[in-house]
Amino acid sequence: MAHYRLTATEFLSSGVKVEDYVCSLLDRVAARDADVQAWAHLDRECAISQARLLDTIPLREREHLKLFGVPVGVKDIMYTKDMPTQHNSPIYENDAPAVDSALVMLLRNAGALIFGKTTTTEFASVTTGTKTRNPHDSSRTPGGSSSGSGAAVGDLQVPVALGTQTLGSIIRPASFNGIFGFKPTWGAISREGVKICSLNLDTMGFFARSIADLELLADAVQLEDDEKQTVRFKIEGAKFAVCKTHVWSQAGPGTTNAVELAIKLLQEHGASVEELELSEEFTNVTKYSLQAFESDGKTTFTNEYIRAKDKLDPVLVKFVENSSKISHRDHLAALDGLAQLRPKIDIIAGRYDAILTPSTVDEAPTGLSNTGNSAFCGMWTALHVPVVNIPGFVGEHGMPIGLSLVAPRYHDRRLLRVAAAVAPVFEGGGWKLGL
Amino acid sequence: MAHYRLTATEFLSSGVKVEDYVCSLLDRVAARDADVQAWAHLDRECAISQARLLDTIPLREREHLKLFGVPVGVKDIMYTKDMPTQHNSPIYENDAPAVDSALVMLLRNAGALIFGKTTTTEFASVTTGTKTRNPHDSSRTPGGSSSGSGAAVGDLQVPVALGTQTLGSIIRPASFNGIFGFKPTWGAISREGVKICSLNLDTMGFFARSIADLELLADAVQLEDDEKQTVRFKIEGAKFAVCKTHVWSQAGPGTTNAVELAIKLLQEHGASVEELELSEEFTNVTKYSLQAFESDGKTTFTNEYIRAKDKLDPVLVKFVENSSKISHRDHLAALDGLAQLRPKIDIIAGRYDAILTPSTVDEAPTGLSNTGNSAFCGMWTALHVPVVNIPGFVGEHGMPIGLSLVAPRYHDRRLLRVAAAVAPVFEGGGWKLGL
């Protein structure tokens, strides 16, 4: 097997030299970049020199480095001390803050190799597409805003990558690219050194091609539940809820079929799946999350608006000019309303091993101009609960479709345990990951 | 009058050249720095060259620059592209991220001159004192964590300075240094490019020697209420509440006397002042805010802990090691509990022109090892409401004591209007500002 096909976990036990792994990935990028274009910045020499340096570390000193030599793609709204950070904005063209974001520092400290910067929609705040294409069909969007991270991991150009989610920016591209995406509990990973979109919604997270890799990353950032997860989770006898949500009418045939098939597969493996209809008040989450997004964005982008309004995406100009006429009163009602619903969803989600819910309205749409609809993701982001996208299903055009598992806040590790058991079950949906 | 005595507003209408103003301030620093030591970084040549550049801007182009030539002290946890940012941490000694925090960009864009970096307690997160001394008595603390910003403005070394408040880091040093401090509504000013202490509590704010200067800064960052404040606020007929809070027993004689005198002064000027006792549930705010602070800090400082635990303040080591054994469940109960109280305090505060409440337990204590008690500040920070410290009173040892005015969230400009009328009334308390 070519080295580039290895997941991070496989690489760590493979005995392959870091340089060999990195060179294989760089060759994969070289072969595929014209089609996929996942990178905002990638310096071959920088990656190789990091690899060589890591290869000189004595074996006994590698033991505590949980991510020794693991190449990581970094979304280009996160500061990296040795690479530019440009936010896909002409205002920050060639900008290179000489500092690492906290998450990048954490990963470097665990022995990770910062491979390159992945594309993002402008400031990770709009759905205007990037240059990046879906690796499984270059006429389709890879999703966004973490477009490059999703596409690079989906195309085997890097085993893991970092993302952020304000509405649907991790789960959506994970679904569209046929890989795992993990949005932990809001606030569980430091956002220091990352461009802000919404103070109340932005969440750090990961892309990978196995749950084991997500566990590795979770270990590296010391993500812990109150209860340590020691027992392996079994599907047999497990209790799931399927929550179609108040936006179910937006689901296309691919998602509708995926949900039905997922229920069938779980039941066939001995799990119970009951339908969960959330109370009426949860329908407000969509409105609240969009108001929080816009109003928070007004504060965030006032800076760029004043400096270079003409270089700012029209959507963000509208945020600053408050075209939607959202008053502070509305904004606070949205924040307070969301805050009231969070403990309620914790209680509801706590009754199940996980809530199963759509990740996206359907497979990735054609065209690159828009990164897709976030209707199914935004509500969980705003509720601050952890979400993982599990690939497995296939849409009408052969594109991947994933489904989300949701748990109560700060049950991140429990969610990954459940996901590790669900993932092989969902392979019955027909999507072949990493081929 | 020597130029360094000018407030920002006075300077703007003085016709004084920027270079002359800056040189006068630099001379003031030179004369006083051995006693006060407010600066973490101050480069005379950098300040003068910025001033000269500003003086070359044609008059007609200065009109839209609301802060043309106004020197600003920047707390050393905020990134500045042309100066080091060291967080008073050995881990970040000589660190110089080549990027401006959003607030610094906003101010530069309004014509401000970034004068230097002011001292902070380590990561603005502990009460271990800095080298900085209170300008009114060098045996006493200037307060913290925005120690240098408070002392520099109090000592006429710079007209305005930037701070952050997680519990009491703006209001406390403002009170201790006998100046105005303004902590706007949480989230009203972008925190981008600023070291995080607590995601849920950190708030950006300002120090100045006049309310007019705070208004200038509020204009520059486009801080707006829902209702535009057009009418001048009059004390006569105004309605205040005095809220002694559940920690009133901690108030020393200076604060007790200040509150009594303040009530008397307001009444003498025709205002009504009624006592406000908050319901029992508000006593939880102290516990909640400290739990949120510690638990958020655990996430924040995991990075520094892993990199260099031995160089981290023991208090922050304890946060990461969770010595207080705060579970995620406790943390969420604190966050959710605070969220529930916020709309309630908005309604209560909305019944008055402002709530009057202590800023600190008393005048600045002797010694530099500890920056003081934040009991009276922390609760308002956690409730996200805007607070302004009004100087005016004097403690048993002749040190300044300020009092706080509080308004509902996003009534920041209204609060400044009220403060502008209250400030001259409080001058009856005997503190002579800027002498």
Side-chain angles (χ1 to χ4, degrees):
Chain A
M1 186 167 77
H3 296 333
Y4 71 82
R5 295 189 167 276
L6 298 170
T7 66
T9 309
E10 289 166 350
F11 159 69
L12 285 171
S13 63
S14 68
V16 171
K17 280 175 62 183
V18 181
E19 185 178 348
D20 292 342
Y21 188 35
V22 164
C23 285
S24 178
L25 290 166
L26 287 167
D27 290 347
R28 172 73 179 171
V29 174
R32 295 281 300 155
D33 196 44
D35 271 355
V36 181
Q37 302 186 47
W39 301 95
H41 175 88
L42 180 57
D43 178 340
R44 196 180 162 91
E45 294 315 311
C46 174
I48 293 174
S49 69
Q50 283 182 72
R52 286 183 181 154
L53 199 65
L54 285 161
D55 280 328
T56 66
I57 295 176
L59 280 175
R60 64 179 181 285
E61 291 173 27
R62 296 179 190 181
E63 276 165 28
H64 74 285
L65 298 172
K66 290 181 182 10
L67 297 175
F68 177 77
V70 171
V72 180
V74 177
K75 187 175 182 178
D76 201 28
I77 61 162
M78 302 178 187
Y79 295 154
T80 40
K81 66 180 179 188
D82 47 4
M83 297 172 192
T85 301
Q86 301 176 92
H87 315 286
N88 192 20
S89 161
I91 303 173
Y92 292 91
E93 205 175 335
N94 298 321
D95 212 40
V99 62
D100 276 338
S101 49
L103 178 54
V104 167
M105 280 193 226
L106 277 166
L107 299 184
R108 281 199 212 263
N109 213 71
L113 180 154
I114 303 305
F115 192 73
K117 303 299 281 284
T118 55
T119 59
T120 173
T121 69
E122 188 173 312
F123 300 117
S125 302
V126 298
T127 55
T128 311
T130 68
K131 63 179 181 180
T132 307
R133 301 165 189 186
N134 195 301
H136 308 299
D137 178 349
S138 59
S139 75
R140 291 173 188 269
T141 178
S145 64
S146 311
S147 312
S149 285
V153 172
D155 198 48
L156 314 173
Q157 296 181 17
V158 72
V160 296
L162 311 184
T164 57
Q165 177 153 316
T166 302
L167 292 171
S169 290
I170 293 173
I171 298 302
R172 177 176 43 189
S175 178
F176 284 178
N177 293 287
I179 57 174
F180 294 94
F182 179 34
K183 183 206 81 66
T185 303
W186 180 88
I189 299 174
S190 174
R191 282 156 41 179
E192 204 170 276
V194 180
K195 188 88 177 87
I196 296 174
C197 169
S198 160
L199 184 59
N200 291 284
L201 302 176
D202 295 351
T203 315
M204 309 291 291
F206 305 111
F207 295 90
R209 289 195 307 278
S210 76
I211 293 291
D213 281 12
L214 294 178
E215 297 266 17
L216 261 185
L217 291 161
D219 284 343
V221 302
Q222 302 201 348
L223 201 60
E224 289 164 3
D225 292 2
D226 279 341
E227 285 83 37
K228 251 210 151 88
Q229 300 300 312
T230 49
V231 185
R232 206 175 136 208
F233 177 80
K234 286 180 189 168
I235 296 292
E236 196 177 342
K239 190 177 169 194
F240 291 90
V242 59
C243 182
K244 293 181 175 172
T245 82
H246 62 281
V247 291
W248 179 244
S249 63
Q250 296 187 47
T255 290
T256 312
N257 292 338
V259 169
E260 275 175 36
L261 183 50
I263 295 169
K264 189 164 156 276
L265 288 168
L266 288 171
Q267 287 171 336
E268 282 173 6
H269 285 77
S272 75
V273 185
E274 61 182 62
E275 187 129 357
L276 168 66
E277 193 161 349
L278 295 174
S279 60
E280 184 67 18
E281 58 187 341
F282 282 94
T283 62
N284 290 321
V285 176
T286 300
K287 180 185 74 180
Y288 289 160
S289 62
L290 294 173
Q291 286 182 338
F293 178 58
E294 284 201 38
S295 288
D296 284 0
K298 181 182 193 309
T299 299
T300 306
F301 297 110
T302 294
N303 174 26
E304 284 79 14
Y305 178 90
I306 292 176
R307 289 167 64 209
K309 175 185 164 182
D310 55 315
K311 293 181 179 173
L312 199 57
D313 189 288
V315 168
L316 304 180
V317 168
K318 282 184 180 172
F319 284 8
V320 179
E321 293 177 348
N322 194 12
S323 301
S324 304
K325 304 215 179 298
I326 302 168
S327 65
H328 290 306
R329 184 184 296 269
D330 299 335
H331 182 202
L332 292 173
L335 298 184
D336 296 341
L338 288 170
Q340 277 191 26
L341 292 172
R342 286 179 194 129
K344 293 183 183 174
I345 197 70
D346 283 346
I347 292 169
I348 295 166
R351 295 184 191 131
Y352 306 96
D353 288 306
I355 295 174
L356 177 70
T357 191
S359 290
T360 49
V361 296
D362 210 317
E363 59 188 355
T366 51
L368 304 176
S369 62
N370 191 284
T371 57
N373 184 324
S374 64
F376 283 106
C377 310
M379 63 177 287
W380 308 108
T381 317
L383 292 169
H384 290 179
V385 290
V387 183
V388 61
N389 177 72
I390 317 271
F393 305 92
V394 183
E396 288 183 311
H397 303 89
M399 295 295 290
I401 290 181
L403 294 177
S404 287
L405 295 180
V406 175
R409 289 177 294 171
Y410 283 112
H411 288 63
D412 300 272
R413 302 308 296 255
R414 167 81 182 160
L415 180 64
L416 290 181
R417 284 288 161 117
V418 174
V422 169
V425 172
F426 282 6
E427 285 176 14
W431 174 248
K432 297 288 174 254
L433 193 152
L435 289 183
Chain B
M1 185 166 76
H3 295 333
Y4 72 81
R5 295 189 167 276
L6 298 170
T7 65
T9 310
E10 288 166 352
F11 159 71
L12 285 172
S13 63
S14 69
V16 172
K17 278 175 64 182
V18 179
E19 185 178 348
D20 292 342
Y21 188 37
V22 164
C23 285
S24 177
L25 290 165
L26 287 166
D27 290 348
R28 172 72 178 172
V29 174
R32 294 282 298 156
D33 196 45
D35 271 356
V36 182
Q37 301 186 47
W39 301 93
H41 176 87
L42 182 55
D43 178 340
R44 197 181 162 90
E45 295 315 313
C46 174
I48 292 174
S49 70
Q50 283 183 74
R52 285 182 183 156
L53 199 64
L54 284 161
D55 280 327
T56 65
I57 295 176
L59 281 175
R60 64 180 181 285
E61 290 173 27
R62 296 179 189 181
E63 276 166 29
H64 74 287
L65 299 171
K66 290 180 178 20
L67 297 175
F68 178 77
V70 172
V72 179
V74 177
K75 187 175 183 177
D76 201 28
I77 59 161
M78 301 177 188
Y79 294 154
T80 40
K81 65 181 179 187
D82 47 4
M83 297 172 191
T85 302
Q86 301 176 94
H87 316 285
N88 191 21
S89 161
I91 304 173
Y92 293 91
E93 205 176 335
N94 298 321
D95 212 40
V99 63
D100 276 338
S101 49
L103 178 53
V104 167
M105 280 194 227
L106 277 166
L107 298 184
R108 282 198 212 264
N109 214 71
L113 181 154
I114 303 305
F115 192 73
K117 303 299 282 282
T118 56
T119 60
T120 172
T121 69
E122 189 173 310
F123 300 117
S125 302
V126 299
T127 56
T128 312
T130 67
K131 64 179 180 179
T132 308
R133 302 166 187 184
N134 195 301
H136 309 298
D137 178 348
S138 59
S139 75
R140 292 174 186 268
T141 179
S145 64
S146 312
S147 313
S149 286
V153 172
D155 198 47
L156 314 173
Q157 296 181 17
V158 73
V160 296
L162 311 185
T164 57
Q165 177 153 315
T166 302
L167 292 170
S169 291
I170 292 171
I171 297 302
R172 176 176 44 189
S175 178
F176 285 178
N177 293 288
I179 57 175
F180 295 94
F182 178 35
K183 183 205 81 65
T185 303
W186 181 87
I189 298 174
S190 174
R191 284 156 41 179
E192 204 170 276
V194 180
K195 188 88 178 85
I196 296 175
C197 170
S198 161
L199 183 60
N200 291 284
L201 302 175
D202 296 351
T203 316
M204 309 292 291
F206 305 111
F207 296 90
R209 291 195 305 278
S210 76
I211 293 291
D213 281 13
L214 293 179
E215 298 265 17
L216 260 185
L217 292 161
D219 284 343
V221 301
Q222 302 201 347
L223 202 59
E224 288 163 3
D225 293 1
D226 279 342
E227 283 83 38
K228 252 210 149 91
Q229 301 300 312
T230 48
V231 186
R232 206 175 136 207
F233 177 80
K234 285 182 188 168
I235 297 291
E236 196 175 343
K239 190 176 168 194
F240 292 90
V242 59
C243 181
K244 293 180 175 172
T245 81
H246 61 281
V247 292
W248 178 244
S249 63
Q250 297 187 47
T255 291
T256 313
N257 292 339
V259 169
E260 275 176 35
L261 183 50
I263 294 170
K264 189 165 156 277
L265 288 168
L266 289 171
Q267 287 171 337
E268 282 174 5
H269 286 77
S272 74
V273 185
E274 62 182 62
E275 188 129 359
L276 169 67
E277 193 160 350
L278 295 174
S279 59
E280 184 68 17
E281 58 186 343
F282 282 94
T283 62
N284 291 321
V285 175
T286 300
K287 180 185 74 179
Y288 289 159
S289 64
L290 294 174
Q291 287 182 338
F293 178 58
E294 285 201 37
S295 289
D296 284 0
K298 181 181 193 309
T299 300
T300 305
F301 297 111
T302 294
N303 174 27
E304 285 79 15
Y305 178 90
I306 292 176
R307 289 168 62 208
K309 175 185 165 181
D310 55 314
K311 294 182 179 173
L312 199 58
D313 189 288
V315 168
L316 304 181
V317 168
K318 282 183 181 174
F319 285 7
V320 179
E321 294 177 348
N322 195 12
S323 301
S324 304
K325 304 214 179 300
I326 303 168
S327 65
H328 290 307
R329 185 184 297 267
D330 298 335
H331 183 203
L332 292 173
L335 298 185
D336 296 342
L338 289 170
Q340 277 190 26
L341 292 171
R342 287 177 194 131
K344 293 183 182 174
I345 197 70
D346 282 346
I347 290 169
I348 294 166
R351 295 183 191 131
Y352 306 96
D353 288 306
I355 295 174
L356 177 70
T357 191
S359 291
T360 49
V361 296
D362 211 317
E363 59 188 354
T366 51
L368 304 177
S369 63
N370 191 286
T371 56
N373 183 325
S374 64
F376 283 106
C377 308
M379 64 177 287
W380 308 108
T381 317
L383 291 170
H384 290 178
V385 290
V387 184
V388 62
N389 177 72
I390 317 270
F393 305 93
V394 183
E396 286 184 312
H397 303 89
M399 295 295 289
I401 291 181
L403 294 176
S404 288
L405 296 180
V406 175
R409 289 176 295 171
Y410 284 111
H411 288 64
D412 300 271
R413 301 309 297 255
R414 167 80 181 161
L415 179 64
L416 290 180
R417 283 288 160 116
V418 174
V422 170
V425 173
F426 282 7
E427 283 176 13
W431 174 250
K432 297 286 172 254
L433 194 153
L435 289 184

